[in-house]
Amino acid sequence: MKLQQATAADIPLIQDLARRSWENAYADILSKEQMEFMLSEMYSETEILHHFQNPYYHYYLIQDENNESYEGFIGYEHNYEEKTTKLHRIYLIPESKGKGFGKGALQFLNEQVSENKNNRIILNVNKYNSARKFYESQGYKVYDEGVFDIGNGFVMDDYLMEFLIH
């Protein structure tokens, strides 16, 4: 596995990987209308360019070195809160799950967080997303929950999770 820092030139790839992941992960959780709305809002070129302009926000592409294919990506923001990095996005295409890419990406994130003098990682996960079990297996714990209005009559119903780096 190799992590490659993404640039604005990678936006179409990020959008494609997000769509492929979401169509699998959220098929039984979100309506098609909500999925399309969220993908068009959260993964628009304008939105991702805005992230690239934030010096604390980083995207990395997850690559399988054996066949040089892109398996997913991770997007996180240092100093989201005091000494806290927010994992905004980590998505893998369905055929790459269970191969250690997610675990490797979280280990990479832990190193990046430590190097940037943060000691906590937070994330939101949909209450019905099986990814919660994966995060718990990696030491993340639920510390709260919330329902967030995202517009167009849709909400995100999430657990808020954290990982503390000692």
Side-chain angles (χ1 to χ4, degrees):
M1 179 183 102
K2 182 171 111 181
L3 285 135
Q4 172 187 325
Q5 189 157 20
T7 68
D10 296 311
I11 290 174
L13 176 58
I14 290 168
Q15 291 170 321
D16 177 62
L17 291 167
R19 178 167 293 282
R20 290 167 61 197
S21 173
W22 277 50
E23 287 174 349
N24 177 265
Y26 295 114
D28 297 329
I29 299 173
L30 303 176
S31 69
K32 185 161 180 51
E33 295 78 18
Q34 181 167 350
M35 192 182 318
E36 287 302 323
F37 173 76
M38 291 177 72
L39 282 168
S40 68
E41 292 290 313
M42 297 169 63
Y43 290 93
S44 70
E45 183 174 353
T46 303
E47 181 69 14
I48 298 173
L49 278 172
H50 178 74
H51 297 161
F52 280 122
Q53 292 166 355
N54 176 344
Y56 298 114
Y57 204 122
H58 305 279
Y59 277 93
Y60 281 84
L61 298 168
I62 301 168
Q63 189 176 30
D64 182 343
E65 290 180 290
N66 295 326
N67 60 16
E68 297 185 20
S69 62
Y70 291 103
E71 305 298 318
F73 65 94
I74 182 171
Y76 58 90
E77 183 179 1
H78 293 303
N79 305 318
Y80 182 79
E81 295 174 358
E82 186 176 346
K83 294 193 176 274
T84 299
T85 294
K86 179 152 188 182
L87 175 56
H88 288 285
R89 324 170 160 200
I90 181 171
Y91 290 106
L92 296 171
I93 57 174
E95 52 272 21
S96 68
K97 290 186 178 175
K99 296 181 179 177
F101 295 119
K103 186 175 181 178
L106 287 183
Q107 289 170 343
F108 170 80
L109 178 61
N110 291 351
E111 294 164 14
Q112 297 300 305
V113 169
S114 293
E115 286 175 18
N116 282 275
K117 311 271 189 275
N118 284 192
N119 58 16
R120 180 177 179 238
I121 302 168
I122 60 172
L123 61 85
N124 292 25
V125 64
N126 183 290
K127 287 181 182 172
Y128 305 100
N129 189 335
S130 61
R132 174 185 171 195
K133 289 181 180 64
F134 166 70
Y135 293 125
E136 289 174 335
S137 77
Q138 300 304 304
Y140 285 75
K141 297 193 179 344
V142 172
Y143 70 91
D144 204 353
E145 56 186 82
V147 176
F148 306 95
D149 184 343
I150 57 171
N152 216 35
F154 299 118
V155 297
M156 293 191 323
D157 189 8
D158 292 345
Y159 287 117
L160 309 181
M161 301 187 80
E162 69 180 350
F163 179 80
L164 303 176
I165 298 174
H166 303 288

